[in-house]
Amino acid sequence: GGAGMRFVLALTIGLLVFLVVDTFEAAQQIALTAPGAFNGPLLIPVVSLLAFLLLMTISSRKSGPDGEALRGLPLAYQIAFGIGLHNLGEGLAIGAAFALGEVALGVFLVIGFTLHNVTEGIGIAAPMLRDRPSLRHFGLLALLAGAPAILGVWIGGFIYSPLWTTIFLALGIGAIIQVIVEVSRLIARGTGGSGSSARERGSLYDWTTFGGVAAGLAIMYATALLIAA
């Protein structure tokens, strides 16, 4: 039903908001270790804003002249792309741990991030609840969201750079914020398409969406504790 869809999509927003905050915190810490001439902390909002505007421009061209929000598979792929950039940053952290000889820490991060990222799959699947995608799409979505972590491990282990890590994380922030905007538009316009009832439309601010966002934040915070413990 409409309320159930709004809750799951709001849950996705909660997951993504946590990722933005978590990524920004990690980017700030790494930016401070970059060469001072590049002013790493300033690069984070600048690169994030440019990435957000670029993706919004591309998205607006795909959404049609009426500005209808993306839904279904296209939105799922956008979410997977944003999460993939975030997971690239996580891979960089794992690779850097191995590069420093902290093998136990690297293995622990792999296990922790795996448990943490399982919940992100909920966000990718949410827009497809009313579709029947083939298994090929599930494989492609998993690769889009997960493969960047593998690439990040290689980069972090062999050619780690605080500057480029900061830039990658900032790109991830911009991409995730753009997805949050798209999911919010989908909730506000109604999740059932042009034939949605008045009850399904304009429901961005109600107890259902609030509960979904709160639940998403709580889930991500709980799994993040497994990494910090």
Side-chain angles (χ1 to χ4, degrees):
M5 280 294 296
R6 288 200 308 276
F7 179 85
V8 175
L9 291 173
L11 179 74
T12 301
I13 292 178
L15 300 176
L16 296 175
V17 167
F18 187 93
L19 287 181
V20 168
V21 176
D22 184 58
T23 307
F24 181 81
E25 180 183 7
Q28 285 283 355
Q29 294 177 357
I30 296 173
L32 294 176
T33 65
F38 294 105
N39 199 347
L42 181 62
L43 275 178
I44 299 172
V46 171
V47 175
S48 298
L49 178 61
L50 288 175
F52 170 76
L53 292 176
L54 174 63
L55 292 173
M56 285 299 295
T57 301
I58 296 173
S59 175
S60 66
R61 297 180 66 87
K62 292 181 179 179
S63 60
D66 58 351
E68 183 180 355
L70 290 176
R71 63 181 72 245
L73 271 177
L75 182 57
Y77 274 102
Q78 279 205 354
I79 294 174
F81 175 73
I83 290 177
L85 287 176
H86 167 80
N87 289 344
L88 175 66
E90 292 184 347
L92 291 169
I94 296 170
F98 282 110
L100 295 173
E102 301 288 343
V103 178
L105 174 61
V107 173
F108 178 76
L109 288 176
V110 169
I111 297 173
F113 285 141
T114 299
L115 296 173
H116 188 52
N117 292 351
V118 166
T119 57
E120 296 170 4
I122 299 173
I124 297 173
M128 303 186 293
L129 288 180
R130 290 181 176 173
D131 298 338
R132 296 181 65 85
S134 65
L135 290 178
R136 176 176 63 90
H137 288 294
F138 284 96
L140 292 174
L141 287 167
L143 283 174
L144 184 59
I150 302 173
L151 177 63
V153 171
W154 283 89
I155 295 175
F158 293 102
I159 51 174
Y160 178 77
S161 165
L163 175 63
W164 283 107
T165 301
T166 301
I167 292 175
F168 284 139
L169 291 175
L171 288 172
I173 292 172
I176 295 172
I177 293 176
Q178 188 268 337
V179 173
I180 292 173
V181 172
E182 288 291 345
V183 177
S184 301
R185 291 174 60 198
L186 183 58
I187 296 175
R189 289 177 178 270
T191 58
S194 58
S196 301
S197 64
R199 187 176 180 180
E200 287 182 308
R201 291 180 175 272
S203 303
L204 186 57
Y205 304 106
D206 63 9
W207 289 113
T208 300
T209 52
F210 173 79
V213 172
L217 289 170
I219 290 172
M220 292 298 282
Y221 180 74
T223 54
L225 292 178
L226 298 175
I227 304 174

